[in-house]
Amino acid sequence: QVQLVESGGGLVQAGGSLRLSCVASGRTFSSYIMGWFRQAPGKEREIVADIIPNGSSTYYPDSVKGRFTISRDNAKNTVYLQMSSLKPEDTAVYFCAAQWGSYVIVDTTAYKYWGQGTQVTVSS
């Protein structure tokens, strides 16, 4: 069982930056693929970043590539999402998720463990 707790969301002006954190419980964090997802009102949940257990491979969709950076600290059981050049369309609830494995997974339904989410609001 893995429990995930996100933090770092808030209100920011367009062009600004935020860093989200997600702390995981358990002793096997370094065996999990970690993903960040977001869901805006009336829209489906979508992936924004993904990182494999050793951190050597990441994935970003075109919508955030070059603006968002995912990283992890396995010693602290924490995954981060650094967001910069934020746009109003980035407004959403952001979730972190974990799935046992060793390669990038972009399918939302493939992740077993989810956090409660943290709200990010970008004003224009």
Side-chain angles (χ1 to χ4, degrees):
Q1 188 73 13
V2 176
Q3 293 185 327
L4 305 171
V5 179
E6 303 97 335
S7 63
L11 174 64
V12 63
Q13 288 187 333
S17 299
L18 278 176
R19 189 176 83 154
L20 307 183
S21 300
C22 173
V23 179
S25 66
R27 295 176 291 178
T28 58
F29 177 78
S30 60
S31 297
Y32 285 87
I33 305 157
M34 298 300 298
W36 282 99
F37 296 78
R38 68 186 180 189
Q39 188 165 19
K43 294 188 176 182
E44 293 187 353
R45 192 170 296 187
E46 62 176 356
I47 190 168
V48 295
D50 183 282
I51 188 166
I52 66 170
N54 68 7
S56 64
S57 181
T58 58
Y59 167 82
Y60 305 94
D62 288 343
S63 58
V64 307
K65 195 174 294 182
R67 300 189 298 121
F68 290 11
T69 302
I70 189 171
S71 61
R72 65 191 296 162
D73 185 338
N74 287 343
K76 296 182 178 179
N77 281 16
T78 303
V79 62
Y80 304 97
L81 183 68
Q82 179 68 48
M83 305 184 294
S84 60
S85 301
L86 283 162
K87 305 175 182 179
E89 52 262 44
D90 294 318
T91 295
V93 178
Y94 283 70
F95 301 86
C96 70
Q99 174 59 38
W100 186 280
S102 58
Y103 53 88
V104 165
I105 298 177
V106 300
D107 182 0
T108 303
T109 63
Y111 283 81
K112 182 174 182 179
Y113 302 105
W114 291 85
Q116 293 299 308
T118 185
Q119 176 71 46
V120 172
T121 302
V122 184
S123 64
S124 58

